[in-house]
Amino acid sequence: METELSKKLGVEHAIFGFTPFPAVAAAITRAGGFGVLGAVRYTAPDDLRRDLDWMQEHSDGKPYGLDVVMPAKKAVDGIGEADIEAMIPAAHRAFVRDTLAKHHVPELAEGEASGWRITGWMEQVARGQLDVAFDYPIKLLANALGSPPADVIARAHDHGVLVAALAGSAKHARRHAEAGIDIVVAQGYEAGGHTGDIATMVLVPEIAEAVAPLPVLAAGGIGSGEQIAAGLALGAQGAWLGSLWLTTTEADLHSRALTEKLLAAGSGDTVRSRALTGKPARQLRTEWTDAWDDPAGPGALPMPLQGLLVAEAVSRIQKYEVRPLLGTPVGQIVGRMNSERSVQAVFDDLTRGFERAIDRINRIAGRA
């Protein structure tokens, strides 16, 4: 499953695996793919340094990358987290309290801090992550919300690091190319997390044509080797997979109830909602997302206000595993995630599926 891009990065298979878990990212890299560690949850530089140290020790000297979040448009600028918190309307805080009370969600213990913060969406936090990341031999820097600032692209290139940016339309992809990025991730509507309105099957060839000869990765709803083969046939040089790793044995969701919900979910059990961050993000549909999407409610705030507003609530829901409210960002591929397997087992399945697809096309073309 080699392409020009995978050869350039020194990986056996053109499978790029995004994950918030270092153990999963390292396992993807060891399996012959390219592990990409999501940095958004690392608000303390020392925590990121600790996990990158671990990645170095457990990646067998093979390449890996980092994914940061730098919003293309800033809702706020030049002020601290406390100042941003003060901008949250009282009515929205009351809505959170009432929704949690309705479902009898316990309070955190006295003095216990929220374990989930969204400050990683703030540019100054992401820049601190980069100060740490460039001390390590990362081979790729990806930005989940468009092109990074010009100075960040230049800094990455100075370190010999390729830069990737996610795009949900050909227009956005062209902007990325003009900004000087090296790889476009064409992320379709089916994807988990922040995603646009165009389906993967339509989006990938549009972007591949729009930014040629820049390499493109197909993303969104991909969870089989056959789908990877389809992405390559549409003009991509690899596949970007995220949701599929959530139910691997190396993943650490800290919630058996959440894992069980993912394993039981079908492809129709997700929704694009602003409930988590303020931007449309595909996630499991729950009574929490329904409450925020209800026209009778106050509506979500813009990023990063919404994330700061719901941080403690999300921590409480996760800690006490309140099933009606318990969810996570995940794509429509969740319908295929019906068993817990190791990363290596997932890779074996992906490569077998890819081979089946190529054999099928060869027979159709009369070459087998």
Side-chain angles (χ1 to χ4, degrees):
M1 209 182 302
E2 286 186 330
T3 65
E4 183 179 344
L5 178 60
S6 68
K7 292 176 183 177
K8 183 176 183 178
L9 287 167
V11 296
E12 181 180 0
H13 301 299
I15 297 174
F16 294 72
F18 165 80
T19 174
F21 307 117
V24 176
I28 291 168
T29 286
R30 291 196 307 270
F34 191 96
V36 182
L37 179 64
V40 69
R41 67 190 180 96
Y42 295 99
T43 56
D46 286 346
D47 291 342
L48 177 59
R49 191 177 300 279
R50 176 202 63 217
D51 282 357
L52 287 177
D53 283 339
W54 191 94
M55 288 276 295
Q56 276 293 102
E57 295 173 5
H58 294 84
S59 296
D60 293 349
K62 296 179 179 180
Y64 61 89
L66 192 74
D67 179 279
V68 297
V69 177
M70 289 186 170
K73 296 180 180 180
K74 303 176 185 178
V76 290
D77 190 18
I79 59 176
E81 182 178 340
D83 299 311
I84 299 173
E85 290 262 17
M87 299 169 62
I88 297 172
H92 281 74
R93 295 191 184 278
F95 182 76
V96 170
R97 289 194 300 270
D98 292 345
T99 303
L100 296 179
K102 176 182 176 182
H103 291 275
H104 309 290
V105 181
E107 298 275 356
L108 295 176
E110 185 175 352
E112 182 178 359
S114 167
W116 184 89
R117 300 298 288 170
I118 204 68
T119 50
W121 302 106
M122 298 167 64
E123 183 178 328
Q124 62 266 35
V125 176
R127 287 184 177 275
Q129 294 163 351
L130 295 180
D131 291 338
V132 172
F134 288 131
D135 288 338
Y136 294 81
I138 62 171
K139 298 299 182 183
L140 176 71
L141 174 67
N143 188 41
L145 289 178
S147 302
D151 67 297
V152 171
I153 297 174
R155 188 179 178 190
H157 288 165
D158 287 345
H159 283 82
V161 176
L162 297 181
V163 179
L166 275 65
S169 70
K171 178 177 68 174
H172 293 154
R174 291 189 192 96
R175 290 176 183 169
H176 297 343
E178 292 167 359
I181 62 95
D182 305 289
I183 302 166
V184 176
V185 181
Q187 180 172 280
Y189 172 82
E190 303 95 323
H194 296 116
T195 187
D197 301 309
I198 304 173
T200 304
M201 183 67 79
V202 175
L203 183 67
V204 173
E206 282 188 355
I207 287 184
E209 180 179 348
V211 301
L214 279 184
V216 170
L217 299 178
I222 298 176
S224 72
E226 288 87 348
Q227 289 173 304
I228 294 173
L232 299 187
L234 293 172
Q237 287 199 32
W240 177 277
L241 286 67
S243 298
L244 190 64
W245 316 110
L246 288 173
T247 52
T248 57
T249 53
E250 292 90 344
D252 188 11
L253 289 177
H254 299 293
S255 172
R256 185 62 202 171
L258 180 54
T259 298
E260 291 172 354
K261 288 190 73 171
L262 288 169
L263 295 172
S267 56
D269 292 328
T270 68
V271 63
R272 284 173 76 240
S273 172
R274 299 177 184 269
L276 189 62
T277 69
K279 284 183 174 289
R282 185 171 297 284
Q283 54 203 280
L284 280 181
R285 182 176 180 179
T286 66
E287 293 188 29
W288 177 256
T289 62
D290 286 348
W292 282 103
D293 296 338
D294 188 336
L301 296 168
M303 178 186 286
L305 300 179
Q306 180 71 12
L308 291 172
L309 167 65
V310 304
E312 181 182 322
V314 171
S315 289
R316 290 165 59 185
I317 292 166
Q318 292 175 346
K319 177 178 179 178
Y320 299 110
E321 297 188 319
V322 184
R323 282 181 176 263
L325 305 179
L326 186 63
T328 186
V330 69
Q332 291 181 331
I333 197 62
V334 70
R336 293 181 62 97
M337 295 158 49
N338 49 25
S339 66
E340 292 180 83
R341 300 177 292 165
S342 69
V343 168
Q344 184 62 61
V346 171
F347 251 84
D348 292 343
D349 187 54
L350 292 173
T351 54
R352 284 193 296 265
F354 182 83
E355 291 169 357
R356 286 194 300 269
I358 298 303
D359 289 344
R360 186 180 303 120
I361 294 301
N362 282 335
R363 288 196 302 272
I364 293 171
R367 292 193 292 266

